[in-house]
Amino acid sequence: MSARPATTGRVTSAKIVIAGGFGVGKTTLVGSVSEITPLTTEAIMTSAGVGVDDTRQIPNKTTTTVAMDFGRISIDRDLILYLFGTPGQTRFWFMWDELVRGAIGAVVMVDTRRLADCFAAIDFFEHRKLPYLIAINCFDGMQYHQAQDVRDALAIPSDVPVVSYDARNRESTKQVLISLVEYVLSMRRQRVGA
Amino acid sequence: METTVRGRSAGTGSRGGHGREHQHIASLCDGKVQSLAEIAARMKLPLGVARVLIADMAADGLVAVYEPTSFENNDAVGTELLERVLSGLRRL
């Protein structure tokens, strides 16, 4: 038998969403800090015409299967943090309400050689009012643009953090997650103090 | 997706009426906490199917299901949890 007297303690979980274009390194980022090898899960998503009042009335709604990778970090015995990578195909973004519901916030991974790939994710988080930060992945230690250039190019509001990092490096990834949580906490404190 | 599940290892009652999927889930989360997403991924089942199986098992008292914390409301519970997440990340 277990030495622990009780295993009925309240367990809770939290999640951070990792977004960005296809091939930007989302799974690499998740894998660099996850305590498990990143897993892939599939969900069947239903979509219907945007702007239509009652989807139950629509006979030809479509379903599609989307896959996402995720990892896990045990924060303490009763709190588990999950990192969910968004599906690569940005055209499925609008279906990902469940993915962002209740999330702490999101990391938008940016490859400066393909800046436009992250537009959809930024729009989505802005629309859903989910806090996010921009993380510029420096492939091979190279940074092609300065943070301010990226901020200007993507029209990122001045309060949203823009950081550079290396997705393969655990310390670097950890720092990105820390920056996001610090940002979310500071936003909450501002709102409370207002 | 990040709803967590823990097996109840008390072993009470017969498991005779339960299918292989139920037994597999019970073994995955026996004495440890797994999320719905983890169970679905390890069993190679779509999330929705895993969700139904786990709901059945919860109804039979075979597993305990814990809802995730939502950070959408700006309440003290969420802030306290964020602070725990932050210090946990710093300890990594």
Side-chain angles (χ1 to χ4, degrees), chain B residues 13-86:
Chain B
S14 141
R15 293 200 176 167
H18 298 288
R20 282 179 53 209
E21 284 103 342
H22 286 175
Q23 285 173 21
H24 193 170
I25 292 171
S27 68
L28 282 176
C29 53
D30 183 17
K32 51 182 185 279
V33 175
Q34 296 275 294
S35 63
L36 173 59
E38 280 171 285
I39 291 167
R42 293 190 193 283
M43 295 184 69
K44 299 189 180 1
L45 289 173
L47 272 176
V49 176
R51 183 178 282 132
V52 170
L53 289 168
I54 291 163
D56 285 351
M57 294 177 71
D60 288 348
L62 296 172
V63 293
V65 174
Y66 305 99
E67 289 303 316
T69 299
S70 172
F71 296 92
E72 281 173 6
N73 299 322
N74 201 31
D75 57 7
V77 176
T79 302
E80 188 257 322
L81 223 78
L82 279 169
E83 281 161 355
R84 268 170 75 191
V85 169
L86 187 58

Side-chain angles (χ1 to χ4, degrees), chain A residues 135-185:
Chain A
I136 305 170
N137 197 2
C138 299
F139 288 96
D140 309 318
M142 293 264 283
Q143 191 177 338
Y144 293 87
H145 298 271
Q146 295 300 313
Q148 188 59 44
D149 297 339
V150 172
R151 184 187 293 281
D152 293 345
L154 296 174
I156 304 298
S158 59
D159 59 316
V160 173
V162 177
V163 299
S164 298
Y165 77 109
D166 180 344
R168 297 161 303 183
N169 183 303
R170 177 183 164 90
E171 272 308 306
S172 184
T173 299
K174 211 181 94 175
Q175 204 51 52
V176 170
L177 299 177
I178 289 171
S179 299
L180 175 67
V181 178
E182 283 175 340
Y183 170 56
V184 175
L185 266 170

Side-chain angles (χ1 to χ4, degrees), chain A residues 7 9-13 15 40 42 68 70 72 75-76 79 82 98 102 104 174 182 188-189, chain B residues 1-2 6 33 35 37-38 41 47 51 66 69 71-75 79 82-84 90-92:
Chain A
T7 52
R10 176 103 183 98
V11 175
T12 194
S13 56
K15 69 180 161 188
T40 303
E42 288 194 338
M68 62 195 165
F70 66 95
R72 141 181 185 149
I75 295 292
D76 54 43
L79 175 57
Y82 287 96
E98 185 178 348
I104 291 175
K174 211 181 94 175
E182 283 175 340
R188 292 171 79 98
R189 290 189 178 120
Chain B
M1 283 179 310
E2 73 280 18
R6 175 150 58 193
V33 175
S35 63
E38 280 171 285
L47 272 176
R51 183 178 282 132
Y66 305 99
T69 299
F71 296 92
E72 281 173 6
N73 299 322
N74 201 31
D75 57 7
T79 302
L82 279 169
E83 281 161 355
R84 268 170 75 191
R90 285 182 175 141
R91 278 196 309 270
L92 277 183

Side-chain angles (χ1 to χ4, degrees), chain A residues 11-25:
Chain A
V11 175
T12 194
S13 56
K15 69 180 161 188
I16 289 175
V17 176
I18 312 294
F22 181 77
V24 74

